[in-house]
Amino acid sequence: MAAAFLGRINFTAWMIFVPFWITFSYVVGAFSLWGGGFLATMGVIDYSGGYVIHVSSGTAGFVGAWWIGPRLAKDREDFQPNNVLMVLVGAGILWIGWNGFNGGDPYAASTDAGVAVLNTNICTAMSLLTWTIWDIVYHKKPSVIGAVNGLICGLVAITPAAGVIDGWAAIVMGILSGSIPWFSMNITAKYFRIFTIVDDCLGIFHTHAVAGFVGGMFTGVFATPDGCAAYGLTNPGGAIAGNWKQVWLQLVGALFIIALNIVMTSIIFGLLGLVIPLRMSDAALEIGDDAVHGEEAYAIFHDGQRSLLYGDTERHHVNGGGEMGHMNVTEGIPVNQDDRMGTGSVRKDSPVSGEELKQE
């Protein structure tokens, strides 16, 4: 969800929002599907959290992005990846970890756990390849970032189905998860104004909400009686086993999770916005949202530190022995030790006012 809010959310607002959202949205959805709640009683299948985790976070991310507001226009127009190689490293770690995420759900080294791991890798690989093919066909280039999006969509889509479908169905789901979210992100988003208004920074709606919905719905199609029984479910399989009711149940489950997150996210952000700003000010964003932490993410050439508290508007060198006592010089203007001790005073040349700092 956080990826939808990047580049402008007030960090304090984020810290307050998270525990409230977990308590009043995530926990409610988790109980309804996993804790013996009404969706579990009805027979909705969510093997590892396609609905509980991904549809919920994708929906909440999109709704929250609307409440917070967009990034600066220049950031939306030119938002290049910082390090594609590290993106690949992170995606690889994520893929490896997902084997435990899905394979660990039976809480045993069982046949069902093995099936879940196998299906996870099959679906993800197929989704990655499918997304890449669509990139080549439409954009004429095999995008690495696109491949990672396809990978994530495959992981998300297989999550609700991992241990209850056959291997061939995992292949089909991989093709679907590499296609439907791709069209959602690359085609549909261009024709619906809502996607222009709402600044979903990393496209979480497409890779999580859409992919999770696809996975959940086709769980209702491809679930097998043996797969359900192996996981301890009494469901007689999905549509391929003649149980078309399962498709309807999966739709009900998805709609409930979507509605829950629209309502709860709106209530939490709406009330929170009455107390503190949800978005950093434009002046603060001009400096850089990372400066709110008082650190440079990539001080490769001794770039030093920037901080809204000290009115820094550009990167500069730091001299001295640490946060409690060093001198920070920009254009020959020193910052005294009291500032570094946390008084929050602002230099006269600072473009950020004291009032804005209090808000941030």
Side-chain angles (χ1 to χ4, degrees):
M1 187 201 313
F5 307 153
L6 291 179
R8 81 281 197 185
I9 188 171
N10 179 352
F11 190 71
T12 302
W14 169 245
M15 292 180 68
I16 297 172
F17 169 78
V18 170
F20 278 101
W21 180 81
I22 290 175
T23 302
F24 296 107
S25 186
Y26 175 82
V27 170
V28 175
F31 177 79
S32 68
L33 280 157
W34 289 341
F38 81 100
L39 293 178
T41 302
M42 290 174 62
V44 179
I45 300 173
D46 189 2
Y47 187 85
S48 269
Y51 285 172
V52 172
I53 298 170
H54 300 294
V55 171
S56 65
S57 61
T59 303
F62 193 75
V63 173
W66 180 83
W67 277 96
I68 296 165
R71 289 166 288 165
L72 295 177
K74 65 178 183 179
D75 288 338
R76 297 188 70 180
E77 294 167 1
D78 184 13
F79 189 55
Q80 297 299 313
N82 174 270
N83 191 319
V84 176
L85 179 60
M86 293 306 294
V87 170
L88 285 173
V89 171
I93 294 173
L94 184 70
W95 190 341
I96 292 172
W98 220 284
N99 286 282
F101 183 70
N102 286 347
D105 265 320
Y107 300 109
S110 61
T111 302
D112 189 45
V115 169
V117 170
L118 179 62
N119 285 339
T120 296
N121 287 281
I122 291 174
C123 180
T124 303
M126 184 56 67
S127 182
L128 184 155
L129 292 172
T130 303
W131 191 293
T132 302
I133 290 171
W134 283 118
D135 275 347
I136 294 173
V137 171
Y138 188 78
H139 298 296
K140 311 302 180 185
K141 296 177 181 179
S143 167
V144 174
I145 297 299
V148 172
N149 278 330
L151 179 158
I152 293 172
C153 288
L155 292 171
V156 170
I158 196 60
T159 296
V164 298
I165 64 173
D166 289 333
W168 67 266
I171 295 175
V172 176
M173 287 187 68
I175 295 173
L176 293 170
S177 64
S179 298
I180 297 175
W182 185 94
F183 274 90
S184 172
M185 179 180 289
N186 291 278
I187 306 297
T188 306
K190 295 180 180 180
Y191 297 100
F192 287 88
R193 189 166 178 265
I194 186 66
F195 292 105
T196 302
I197 297 173
V198 178
D199 183 13
D200 178 2
C201 190
L202 296 186
I204 301 305
F205 175 80
H206 309 284
T207 57
H208 288 265
V210 175
F213 181 82
V214 169
M217 291 304 299
F218 281 94
T219 298
V221 175
F222 296 130
T224 66
D226 290 341
C228 292
Y231 191 50
L233 302 176
T234 58
N235 303 58
I240 61 169
N243 180 28
W244 285 94
K245 179 183 177 181
Q246 192 64 49
V247 178
W248 165 250
L249 292 175
Q250 296 301 115
L251 178 60
V252 171
L255 293 177
F256 173 76
I257 295 296
I258 291 170
L260 172 67
N261 280 275
I262 291 174
V263 172
M264 295 312 303
T265 302
S266 295
I267 290 175
I268 296 170
F269 269 131
L271 294 176
L272 188 57
L274 298 176
V275 181
I276 60 173
L278 302 179
R279 182 182 182 273
M280 297 177 68
S281 66
D282 285 351
L285 292 178
E286 286 288 350
I287 299 173
D289 68 308
D290 58 331
V292 74
H293 303 288
E295 300 164 329
E296 281 289 342
Y298 300 96
I300 299 174
F301 297 104
H302 305 285
D303 291 325
Q305 296 177 315
R306 289 179 299 164
S307 175
L308 300 179
L309 289 178
Y310 317 130
D312 302 334
T313 59
E314 61 183 34
R315 294 175 178 172
H316 51 276
H317 296 288
V318 173
N319 301 312
E323 187 68 20
M324 298 297 286
H326 58 209
M327 293 292 287
N328 181 6
V329 182
T330 300
E331 298 179 353
I333 303 174
V335 178
N336 61 39
Q337 185 173 357
D338 288 338
D339 286 341
R340 288 295 173 181
M341 294 287 284
T343 61
S345 60
V346 185
R347 290 178 300 204
K348 294 180 179 179
D349 66 326
S350 171
V352 184
S353 67
E355 189 63 33
E356 287 173 332
L357 289 175
K358 292 177 182 179
Q359 294 178 351
E360 300 301 338

